[in-house]
Amino acid sequence: MVIAILSVLMALLLPALQAAREAARRTACANNLRQVGLSVIRYCDDHRGAFPKTTHDTDFHECWVYTLAPYLENVDEIRICPSDLKAKERLDARMSSYAMNAYVTNGVLPGSVLNRNKLPSVTRTLLAVELTDRENRPVSEFDDHVESHRWFTPTNIAHGRVLEAMRGEVSVDRHHEGANYLFADGRVASISVETVAEWCRKPIVFVKPEEAAEALNFFD
């Protein structure tokens, strides 16, 4: 009888314990991402507003993971989300659970802005996201940025595949049906999958490539 009661109590307490642990990991992730954001701002201040580069246009050892290291006191764990299923693998590869938005790192894209001082709004510009840890996506040295310009294509919009395309790179549900997002002002926002899905369903028809960049100012 006592064992049965204990089993019932354990069954009731386990979900609450798991939720509490995940809440703690989500908070730790947000704190890590906030530190990354502050280091980006300090880097920009030291480089006349220029954002740190990614492997899109520079060598792996010159991407933001390395150039921001002095601003993060060379603490590698700050770049890792504790809920990332590939946390150890990324740490061993000196990579990150977070990835920069292509529109602040890829100068070839129409509408991109590579200088923080030239952004129309630092509070509305998405700077970094939580990288997906799907099994079918191996850790790569190119994981320091996402190809966000490929989410809002006319085909994806027409067929309602924007969220699916985003999921291919972003872990939109890592923390209890949501994830953390870093903005160019250093703010970190925890945003639900439902909110992101609603944003992705908006009937946007792009006439110009620049509008894809403007759509990434979506969460405010």
Side-chain angles (χ1 to χ4, degrees):
M1 182 67 176
V2 174
I3 294 175
I5 293 173
L6 287 174
S7 298
V8 171
L9 288 173
M10 285 297 294
L12 292 172
L13 288 173
L14 192 57
L17 272 172
Q18 291 175 334
R21 287 173 179 169
E22 177 49 42
R25 288 193 291 265
R26 182 183 67 237
T27 300
C29 171
N31 288 336
N32 287 350
L33 195 51
R34 189 172 294 107
Q35 290 301 312
V36 172
L38 292 174
S39 70
V40 170
I41 292 173
R42 290 177 58 198
Y43 177 95
C44 291
D45 288 343
D46 289 345
H47 294 80
R48 298 183 178 180
F51 283 115
K53 293 184 177 181
T54 68
T55 51
H56 179 272
D57 57 6
T58 192
D59 180 75
F60 172 60
H61 295 289
E62 295 179 355
C63 73
W64 71 266
V65 172
Y66 287 85
T67 55
L68 291 187
Y71 298 90
L72 295 171
E73 298 183 355
N74 293 296
V75 180
D76 290 341
E77 288 79 4
I78 292 177
R79 302 190 316 275
I80 304 297
C81 168
S83 293
D84 187 351
L85 297 179
K86 296 184 178 180
K88 185 180 184 306
E89 190 177 351
R90 297 195 207 280
L91 196 59
D92 290 345
R94 196 169 172 78
M95 287 305 302
S96 176
S97 301
Y98 313 118
M100 297 291 181
N101 177 7
Y103 282 99
V104 297
T105 60
N106 185 348
V108 176
L109 298 178
S112 62
V113 180
L114 307 190
N115 190 298
R116 186 173 180 270
N117 296 340
K118 297 180 180 179
L119 288 174
S121 171
V122 293
T123 62
R124 290 178 53 84
T125 299
L126 184 64
L127 184 60
V129 298
E130 293 197 62
L131 194 63
T132 184
D133 50 16
R134 287 184 175 182
E135 291 184 4
N136 62 353
R137 184 185 170 105
V139 172
S140 164
E141 65 179 33
F142 301 107
D143 282 347
D144 63 336
H145 67 285
V146 291
E147 305 290 349
S148 40
H149 56 291
R150 296 180 180 174
W151 304 342
F152 282 93
T153 64
T155 300
N156 286 343
I157 294 167
H159 295 87
R161 296 175 183 166
V162 176
L163 181 58
E164 180 184 344
M166 188 176 178
R167 278 183 180 274
E169 297 189 276
V170 183
S171 186
V172 297
D173 55 359
R174 176 168 285 158
H175 305 292
H176 275 310
E177 299 301 316
N180 292 317
Y181 297 83
L182 172 65
F183 290 81
D185 62 347
R187 172 175 55 98
V188 174
S190 178
I191 302 171
S192 69
V193 180
E194 184 177 324
T195 299
V196 174
E198 181 181 351
W199 161 68
C200 290
R201 285 193 297 267
K202 288 181 179 180
I204 303 172
V205 178
F206 294 130
V207 179
K208 300 177 181 178
E210 289 88 340
E211 295 178 11
E214 292 172 5
L216 289 172
N217 297 334
F218 58 91
F219 288 129
D220 277 3

